[in-house]
Amino acid sequence: MSMLEVNDLKKVYPGRFGGSGVQALSSVSFSVEEGEYVAIMGESGSGKTTLLNILASLDKPSSGSVLLDGKDLTAVRERDAAAFRRDNLGFVFQDFNLLDTFSVKDNIFLPLVLSGKKYDEMSRRLQPLAQKLGISDILHKFPYEISGGQKQRTAVARALITQPRLILADEPTGALDSKATDQLLRLFESINAEGQTILMVTHSVKAASHAKRVLFIKDGEVFHQIYRGELSESGMFERISDALTVLQKGGERYE
């Protein structure tokens, strides 16, 4: 069994005042193996954000299932959802979602505090992580005192410190300059090389070209996918660009 299995996922948002609903996902199926690095791309309105919200247990599908290690995420009760996310999922967002009144260290510690971990355990996990991410010297600072790249590395540390089964990244390079983007993408590659499974939603061809596989969502379905295989980063960039051109021109669905 794959680590993550998405089976015939559908999502229809009800219309206002009894009108016809809006179908965000029509039939999405794919799987992710442990240790994969998968990017999801698609035009605005294609359903990729809805898909990510369902994978994050922030939304429920109209039908279909999402299995993480065989456990159906769509069946997790609302009262248990927060603990499930905290124990199994790590999140990296475009806008960082850091608390300005917390230091960098306390922002990173937050999910462990919520899960009841002791301070010694939190410190033991933080030291090697902060060193790897290059943030050891800013742990005492506050988010408003550090750069965008440092904020995003802080967010990555917060996601990784829980030792999650799956990292979900939503446009993680969207608010970064080119230098910070390059640093983050290399960091993701390094984390993935150590065995961390990553699923990233992105508009950026550059970001997607670092993934091992790219899924393209169109009209609420998986339209096409590209495996990196032996392709270079530039070769993957070209393949993704070509696929997006076909998608934007309304080409036939790939098989």
Side-chain angles (χ1 to χ4, degrees):
M1 178 182 289
S2 301
M3 192 189 85
L4 179 70
E5 293 189 2
V6 178
N7 302 307
D8 197 23
L9 214 58
K10 296 180 175 66
K11 179 65 180 182
V12 179
Y13 292 102
R16 297 182 65 187
F17 311 116
S20 59
V22 175
Q23 185 155 326
L25 299 175
S26 56
S27 180
V28 173
S29 296
F30 65 92
S31 61
V32 177
E33 302 298 325
E34 185 167 5
E36 269 203 286
Y37 181 1
V38 179
I40 296 176
M41 302 192 78
E43 297 176 298
S44 295
S46 62
K48 60 186 186 300
T49 298
T50 298
L51 174 60
L52 190 71
N53 286 338
I54 293 173
L55 297 180
S57 298
L58 297 171
D59 197 1
K60 298 284 187 183
S62 301
S63 62
S65 63
V66 179
L67 304 178
L68 180 64
D69 293 329
K71 182 178 179 65
D72 190 349
L73 274 61
T74 64
V76 175
R77 293 178 297 181
E78 193 65 34
R79 67 184 183 185
D80 299 328
F84 178 83
R85 287 192 292 268
R86 193 167 58 238
D87 293 342
N88 294 278
L89 305 174
F91 299 93
V92 181
F93 302 97
Q94 176 177 339
D95 56 0
F96 318 126
N97 281 16
L98 301 177
L99 299 176
D100 277 340
T101 55
F102 281 29
S103 68
V104 166
K105 181 170 71 172
D106 288 341
N107 267 284
I108 297 169
F109 278 168
L110 184 57
L112 296 184
V113 171
L114 294 174
S115 61
K117 299 294 183 185
K118 294 184 177 180
Y119 186 82
D120 287 349
E121 168 70 7
M122 294 191 292
S123 295
R124 184 184 64 79
R125 291 191 190 187
L126 177 61
Q127 185 176 0
L129 197 54
Q131 185 172 356
K132 177 179 178 58
L133 299 182
I135 57 174
S136 297
D137 59 341
I138 62 167
L139 292 175
H140 64 287
K141 292 188 176 182
F142 290 82
Y144 55 83
E145 298 177 304
I146 61 179
S147 69
Q150 290 171 326
K151 289 178 183 177
Q152 196 59 294
R153 292 201 298 277
T154 299
V156 173
R158 182 185 56 193
L160 288 173
I161 202 165
T162 61
Q163 300 171 350
R165 293 290 288 143
L166 177 65
I167 291 285
L168 295 175
D170 186 8
E171 300 287 359
T173 64
L176 303 180
D177 61 28
S178 59
K179 181 179 178 181
T181 291
D182 288 341
Q183 291 174 340
L184 181 68
L185 293 175
R186 297 302 177 196
L187 178 61
F188 270 21
E189 284 188 327
S190 174
I191 293 167
N192 174 247
E194 294 176 353
Q196 178 65 59
T197 310
I198 302 173
L199 188 65
M200 171 177 65
V201 166
T202 183
H203 281 98
S204 168
V205 177
K206 181 176 184 177
S209 66
H210 285 255
K212 292 179 178 176
R213 179 162 56 116
V214 181
L215 296 173
F216 298 87
I217 304 293
K218 178 181 172 67
D219 298 330
E221 297 185 39
V222 176
F223 175 77
H224 181 44
Q225 63 179 333
I226 297 173
Y227 286 87
R228 181 166 182 172
E230 300 301 318
L231 284 174
S232 64
E233 186 181 314
S234 60
M236 188 67 165
F237 187 99
E238 291 181 10
R239 288 282 302 278
I240 293 169
S241 297
D242 290 345
L244 285 175
T245 298
V246 172
L247 186 149
Q248 290 163 359
K249 288 182 177 179
E252 294 299 319
R253 185 173 180 224
Y254 285 72
E255 297 294 343

